[in-house]
Amino acid sequence: MRCAPRACSRRRVPFPLAPRLAALSGWRADLAAAALGALSAAALPPLCLVPVLLIAVPGLLALLDGAPSLPVALRRGFWFGFAHHVLGLYWITNAILIQVGRYWWLVPLGVPALAAVLAPFIAVAAAAAWRARPGWRRVLVLAGAWVLADLARQFVGTGFPWNPWGADWAMPGPLGTIFLQPAAWIGVPGLTLLTLLVAAMPALGRRGMAAGAAGLLLWAGAGVWRLSGPAPRPPGVVAVIAQGNIPETAKFDMRKAVGVFDEYLALTRAGLARAGVGFPQDKPMVVWPESASPFALANDAGARQALAETAGDATVLAGTVRWDALGRPANSLVAVTGAGLPRYEYDKWHLVPFGEYSPSWVPVAIQLAKGGFTPGPGPQTLHVPGVPPVGPIICYEAIFPAQVVDESDRPDWIVNVTNDAWFGNSSGPRQHLAAARLRAVEEGLPLVRAANTGISAVFDAYGREVARLVIDRTGTLVAALPGHLPPTPFARFGLLIPGVLAVLTVAAGALSRKPGNVPVAEKIRRNLG
């Protein structure tokens, strides 16, 4: 027996803005989509205002309910994604300003152009959701298609999986740590799926909100349960992280090279002295950020010797440029032990397009960094005397889930060296830090992060922060290296897990296809129950 419309309305209590949003058309609907996309950016690190998604996602669903055709649904999804990415990636302009004399014309274009490239991924997810029937089916298709689009975003072109919504939970403190734990099973794409499903629940009325609350409780319970496991045994190593805080304009000025190198040597001496006092039983190791050494340590025996004499028995992992036998440069991490020999090298393989190389398919040569770099072969584990087996990731590589560790030769910890001086004191370094933290949870491995201008930090295998050195400060961070956990399900199976979950979610929502064209007024009436 069907209830009267008013009774159904009281029972369902739909998202309050749904009728007005669904009734919008033309540029007003596009503007509303952009406003909702901009609002959703507030959920990203560092703000992590996750509750705004309880407005943004139901609002997007209401706009899709009111879309009269597939092209309109695509357009509304595009404007949502465009505004979201413009605000989420505004900080990229800082990198352009460093070379503003050469690339001044990119200042107003760079971020909007990148946002326009990324927005279609959200537009496709919105269009797929429009094809489903309104209600819970549309919610499922939107969430699953969004994650599949995110997975594609990791590989299409050069790949740019920055700011997945699963990272919205990387807030500081215990709350963030709890909600990040399922990443060990389903990765950050899986967290994105959960985030979209929970955020969409207000669109389904009281029952939906009750289901969302229950889902959050189960999510938190799973996180608490995982954190209740035994703490892994530490390996007896203390990390000394040098944060030189060198301006980007000074890093490759060879007139300042000796001063920069001496600054890092001084930080190394001070950090080792602190480690000797605070951790007398632990073996020290030193970590320098990406491109910290202005001299090519792999090729410069004199620089290696000076570093080895300063570090003594401590192994040093230092970011530097390395030149191969053919004279090609690589963005590298070089390990220096003992008297400067032997050395162990890792070359960055996920290079930054337009930063470290100019893609051949772009007609205009744009490259912010000096010289083009040669990519390395891929993730690898360095077996360096004096430290546990380590998996290096350099800067940009930290944003790629399931592509940071050689699982066939699993390391005991991850070292992330980066140079975020390009992005100033903005959201960029904080979003980058959140990505690195998620890699620790996904892999079940502790992570040591050395950043030139900060934020340098140490996370344990659960993603809990052990120590931090704030942004724009010169100094050293000294902390014991935490122990590692056994391989997580995500470490074993990688993106297959969230990929299968996303496909199943889409399939469940597509069980009943969207009927033919329905007048907008009828759609609004259906939303009201």
Side-chain angles (χ1 to χ4, degrees):
M1 179 177 177
R2 292 178 59 85
C3 60
R6 289 187 179 180
C8 290
S9 178
R10 286 195 299 269
R11 180 188 298 176
R12 187 171 178 186
V13 188
F15 177 61
L17 296 177
R20 298 180 65 179
L21 289 171
L24 293 175
S25 62
W27 66 267
R28 291 180 176 83
D30 295 342
L31 183 62
L36 291 168
L39 178 65
S40 69
L44 297 171
L47 296 180
C48 295
L49 299 178
V50 180
V52 302
L53 298 181
L54 297 173
I55 300 173
V57 177
L60 176 60
L61 286 165
L63 288 171
L64 296 178
D65 288 346
S69 65
L70 182 63
V72 173
L74 271 168
R75 195 179 72 229
R76 294 179 183 182
F78 175 87
W79 286 116
F80 183 100
F82 180 79
H84 172 78
H85 287 301
V86 164
L87 289 188
L89 299 171
Y90 77 90
W91 46 268
I92 291 177
T93 302
N94 290 357
I96 302 174
L97 290 174
I98 289 177
Q99 300 229 10
V100 68
R102 184 176 182 183
Y103 295 116
W104 57 267
W105 52 274
L106 268 179
V107 173
L109 299 177
V111 173
L114 179 57
V117 170
L118 298 175
F121 291 93
I122 294 178
V124 168
W130 182 85
R131 294 291 301 168
R133 290 183 61 184
W136 61 267
R137 293 176 179 86
R138 180 162 288 166
V139 167
L140 291 179
V141 173
L142 177 66
W146 190 298
V147 172
L148 291 175
D150 268 7
L151 293 175
R153 185 155 63 97
Q154 182 162 340
F155 297 99
V156 172
T158 61
F160 190 70
W162 197 283
N163 282 345
W165 280 17
D168 294 352
W169 301 94
M171 56 196 72
L175 185 64
T177 300
I178 289 171
F179 279 98
L180 290 182
Q181 294 313 301
W185 308 312
I186 58 178
V188 69
L191 294 187
T192 298
L193 182 68
L194 294 179
T195 301
L196 280 155
L197 289 174
V198 170
M201 288 301 102
L204 303 182
R206 286 179 177 173
R207 290 182 180 178
M209 289 187 285
L216 279 176
L217 287 175
L218 289 173
W219 185 345
V224 170
W225 175 79
R226 184 169 189 265
L227 289 169
S228 66
R233 183 178 179 180
V237 174
V238 57
V240 176
I241 303 170
Q243 184 170 299
N245 198 29
I246 307 297
E248 187 59 36
T249 53
K251 285 183 61 63
F252 297 104
D253 185 344
M254 294 312 295
R255 294 169 299 180
K256 301 178 181 178
V258 173
V260 170
F261 195 71
D262 286 345
E263 174 69 25
Y264 271 104
L265 293 179
L267 290 172
T268 299
R269 282 189 291 269
L272 288 172
R274 287 178 54 199
V277 174
F279 301 87
Q281 304 302 318
D282 291 347
K283 180 172 179 57
M285 65 176 180
V286 180
V287 184
W288 286 13
E290 176 189 19
S291 64
S293 173
F295 305 113
L297 288 175
N299 311 94
D300 192 328
R304 287 200 309 274
Q305 181 67 29
L307 179 55
E309 290 174 355
T310 300
D313 293 334
T315 297
V316 181
L317 304 175
T320 184
V321 174
R322 185 181 74 85
W323 300 87
D324 66 14
L326 299 178
R328 299 173 301 187
N331 189 349
S332 299
L333 180 80
V334 172
V336 178
T337 64
L341 292 173
R343 68 176 188 265
Y344 302 80
E345 299 153 356
Y346 166 80
D347 294 337
K348 183 178 182 180
W349 68 285
H350 253 308
L351 299 178
V352 181
F354 310 110
E356 293 171 314
Y357 79 104
S358 184
S360 59
W361 39 268
V362 176
V364 180
I366 302 171
Q367 190 171 290
L368 298 180
K370 292 183 178 179
F373 289 105
T374 302
Q380 67 184 91
T381 300
L382 296 183
H383 296 269
V384 181
V387 300
V390 56
I393 50 178
I394 298 178
C395 189
Y396 183 63
E397 294 176 325
I399 72 172
F400 291 86
Q403 292 184 280
V404 297
V405 166
D406 180 2
E407 298 294 350
S408 66
D409 184 16
R410 184 172 165 85
D412 288 351
W413 62 292
I414 300 171
V415 62
N416 173 213
V417 297
T418 186
N419 173 30
D420 289 350
W422 285 99
F423 310 120
N425 189 354
S426 67
S427 296
R430 294 162 174 87
Q431 293 171 359
H432 203 188
L433 178 73
R437 181 185 180 190
L438 278 160
R439 304 295 84 83
V441 182
E442 289 172 341
E443 299 293 340
L445 296 174
L447 184 140
V448 173
R449 185 176 197 263
N452 170 35
T453 53
I455 304 164
S456 297
V458 176
F459 296 102
D460 72 4
Y462 293 102
R464 293 177 294 207
E465 186 177 295
V466 175
R468 170 188 292 228
L469 187 56
V470 299
I471 199 165
D472 286 346
R473 180 176 298 179
T474 303
T476 55
L477 184 64
V478 179
L481 179 67
H484 63 89
L485 293 168
T488 64
F490 186 76
R492 293 180 182 275
F493 299 104
L495 298 176
L496 178 64
I497 295 177
V500 169
L501 289 175
V503 169
L504 292 176
T505 303
V506 171
L511 289 176
S512 179
R513 291 188 62 190
K514 178 181 173 66
N517 290 337
V518 178
V520 172
E522 175 66 11
K523 294 180 181 182
I524 296 171
R525 188 191 67 77
R526 290 182 180 181
N527 277 341
L528 291 173

